[in-house]
Amino acid sequence: MQFAVNGLFISAAYALVALGLTLIFGVLHIADFAQGALYMLGAYVSFYATHAPGLGYFASVPVAMGLTAALATLNGALVYRPLQRHGGALTFIAALGILLILQNLALWLFGGDFRLIASPFGDGKITVWGVVLTHHQAFVLGVTALLVAAVWFGLRHTKPGKALRAMAQQPEAARLVGIDSARLGLVTFALAGALAGAAGGLISPIRAFDPHIGAIVILKSFAIVIFGGMGSVPGAIVGALLVGMAETFTAAYLAAEFADLVAFALMIVILFARPQGLLGRVPA
Amino acid sequence: MRGSLVRSRAAWLAALAAAVLAPLALQNPAHQNLLVLTGVNVILVASLDLLIGQSGLLSLGHAGFWGIGAYTSALLTLRAGVPFLLALLAAAATAAASGIFIGYPSLRLRGHYFVLVTFIFGIIITLLLTSLVAVTRGPMGLPGIPFATLPRPWGPPLTLNTFQGKTGYYYLVLAAVLLTLWLRACVVHSRMGRALVAIREDEDLGQTLGIHTHRYKVGVFALSTGLAGMAGSLYAHYTTFLAPEIFDFVASFDLFVMNLVGGAGTAAGPVLGPVLLTVVRDLLRAVHPVLAEILFGLFLIAAIAFLPAGLVGGWRRLVARRVSR
């Protein structure tokens, strides 16, 4: 049970990044690997903002979200939009280009040392039904649940959310009924950027980070997205939960170095059984 | 048409002459090192293009098969004393067998499925190489791989000590490059090549015409991964040191990028892409290591913005514009 809770916590980070990725993929058909760099920048912005006078950790996460959302929108407007007519494979190269640029800019500006944000909660712990949870873990789980619920609600019940779903399902019809796909595309980028930045800011008091962390996070999140079903929101959440759990339990019962291996092996086994992904639809 | 054929043959001959003379003109060991690595990359990209350009099969795990070949060859020579040429063959065979193992089930289905499976398979290979410490020494890397030895009809076998001189090894790699390009040309101009184009353009139509699409897809995947395995062996006995991260997903992406920048599905693209990108990256690194990666990222974005069909595609457009004028 204790392991399950720890796994839940790793899953939270993957869920946020994977959620953004799956939205971008579902709506725009772009595999935006640059989101990994936004996660990393979210961590750095949060790190520096925490120590800025008058800000502190709690204000630093929204600051990180805002900046990464802006950056994601900029990527979308300056790089992806002009390239989109060339099709998926080429936007993928652009995404890697952006990842390279941001990762090495960070290396240049911040150096290659591992960093850890000081958690405002200190070492405080709570115990629920015999399961120990640090205050920060509880905070992360709460905020993640809130963000996921907000996205979920937004997609179901708000006008832009409905328009996004329409764009994902029937791009031509969406355009016909007057949905501004260019603007909504940028909204999608901003939303995904904010989620990735939030994940970076939330997790970094518990997991140390360096400029290369983004590549690792995006690799897993991308795998989770394909595993959950490309473009499927519940798929991303369920996939993140499964991968986080598989990792934690393997590390606990087998060996830490096999954690990733088991997670990915599990994915391939499930892919052979369910090619469209866990919750994906069979392509028509 | 005939004129262009003669011209393209002349271009290939000129390229071959340049490739043969290059190590004699460039005596600097750093430049020669670049020549050898470019050669390995050309094998990898030309084999990858058999999938991407020829058959429309997007593989994002090519470096994994490269790694399988490299470690197979290294471990066989290092631990079992197998001679180099035999290890090279074993490397190609092991990589091709893994290709069949992964390709047989995953090539039955369409769409993103194959991309995903190759992508995850590539990651799994890196993770296996990292975690099987007892066999591969994991993240510590595998040093002391024996130099390549070639039997000679006279005297003792020839040992290609790449620390003392790289010219000999370069010619070995060049021979492998030529073998790869020749095999590639054979496939493209064969019944199989036409079947693969049919699969790329419209697989359903191909099937209704009686083409065993699955068999051809598995076949071309085995050939492609086998060639990647050969490139792995050549890489292992050149550097004599292997580490898992050399063959990680970033390497697979690099190969994919080289293929697209050169021009997928063209004869010259798989040669031009690796040559250009290997040289550009190295030149940039000589200026400033971190800045180089930033500039390389910008270069990639610019390359696809201005040359979406790759170097070869851009060249063709230029020629077409001139002819129409």
Side-chain angles (χ1 to χ4, degrees), chain A residues 82-150:
Chain A
L83 291 177
Q84 218 180 349
R85 66 196 158 91
H86 297 318
L90 291 175
T91 50
F92 186 71
I93 296 182
L96 292 178
I98 298 174
L99 184 68
L100 262 181
I101 294 171
L102 293 179
Q103 190 169 294
N104 286 284
L105 269 179
L107 195 62
W108 205 20
L109 293 175
F110 310 128
D113 298 334
F114 272 96
R115 286 161 203 266
L116 194 66
I117 300 174
S119 172
F121 298 105
D123 296 329
K125 289 184 176 70
I126 45 173
T127 312
V128 188
W129 299 313
V131 177
V132 184
L133 205 62
T134 67
H135 285 166
H136 193 90
Q137 284 180 329
F139 171 69
V140 170
L141 289 181
V143 174
T144 304
L146 215 65
L147 285 173
V148 170

Side-chain angles (χ1 to χ4, degrees), chain A residues 232-271:
Chain A
S232 159
V233 171
I237 309 293
V238 175
L241 280 174
L242 265 174
V243 169
M245 293 295 169
E247 252 176 52
T248 320
F249 277 92
T250 315
Y253 290 113
L254 213 59
E257 62 263 33
F258 288 116
D260 291 347
L261 193 62
V262 169
F264 283 110
L266 185 73
M267 276 189 221
I268 244 183
V269 169
I270 294 190
L271 267 177

Side-chain angles (χ1 to χ4, degrees), chain B residues 16-282:
Chain B
L16 180 63
V20 170
L21 295 176
L24 306 175
L26 300 168
Q27 290 288 348
N28 184 333
H31 293 159
Q32 293 200 336
N33 174 47
L34 212 56
L35 282 178
V36 174
L37 295 182
T38 307
V40 172
N41 278 338
V42 169
I43 301 175
L44 289 169
V45 175
S47 58
L48 181 62
D49 187 62
L50 272 174
L51 304 175
I52 295 179
Q54 187 68 23
S55 330
L57 297 168
L58 224 65
S59 168
L60 284 183
H62 211 54
F65 297 100
W66 180 32
I68 290 176
Y71 270 90
T72 304
S73 191
L75 290 171
L76 280 178
T77 49
L78 195 63
R79 303 258 156 93
V82 174
F84 165 71
L85 281 180
L86 218 58
L88 179 98
L89 284 177
T94 313
S98 330
I100 293 173
F101 174 72
I102 276 298
Y104 192 84
S106 66
L107 284 166
R108 277 201 185 285
L109 295 145
R110 310 276 174 81
H112 293 300
Y113 188 61
F114 177 71
V115 190
L116 313 185
V117 171
T118 53
F119 175 65
I120 296 182
F121 179 74
I123 299 168
I124 288 181
I125 290 303
T126 322
L127 290 171
L128 271 178
L129 293 178
T130 315
S131 51
L132 293 176
V133 180
V135 186
T136 64
R137 288 178 34 95
M140 293 172 288
L142 195 63
I145 299 161
F147 291 117
T149 50
L150 298 172
R152 277 187 290 195
W154 67 94
L158 173 71
T159 302
L160 295 170
N161 183 328
T162 52
F163 293 164
Q164 285 168 2
K166 302 185 193 303
T167 317
Y169 206 89
Y170 171 77
Y171 286 121
L172 176 68
V173 172
L174 185 62
V177 169
L178 293 177
L179 173 74
T180 305
L181 294 178
W182 178 72
L183 275 176
R184 194 190 129 79
C186 286
V187 168
V188 169
H189 297 294
S190 70
R191 191 187 159 79
M192 183 177 181
R194 290 190 294 275
L196 293 174
V197 171
I199 291 169
R200 183 184 72 198
E201 298 302 328
D202 188 341
E203 187 165 352
D204 291 322
L205 186 64
Q207 262 170 346
T208 56
L209 294 176
I211 299 173
H212 287 280
T213 56
H214 182 246
R215 206 181 291 168
Y216 280 115
K217 285 194 288 185
V218 175
V220 77
F221 191 51
L223 174 65
S224 168
T225 51
L227 287 170
M230 177 182 77
S233 171
L234 289 170
Y235 181 84
H237 297 280
Y238 172 68
T239 58
T240 74
F241 175 81
L242 296 177
E245 68 264 21
I246 299 170
F247 309 103
D248 65 2
F249 76 101
V250 181
S252 288
F253 290 171
D254 274 344
L255 296 173
F256 178 65
V257 167
M258 285 183 201
N259 191 6
L260 287 202
V261 169
T266 61
V271 178
L272 289 175
V275 171
L276 179 79
L277 290 195
T278 314
V279 172
V280 165
R281 206 166 196 173
D282 191 74

Side-chain angles (χ1 to χ4, degrees), chain B residues 259-273 307 309-319:
Chain B
N259 191 6
L260 287 202
V261 169
T266 61
V271 178
L272 289 175
L307 292 169
L311 283 174
V312 173
W315 171 250
R316 279 191 190 149
R317 214 171 47 186
L318 202 73
V319 171

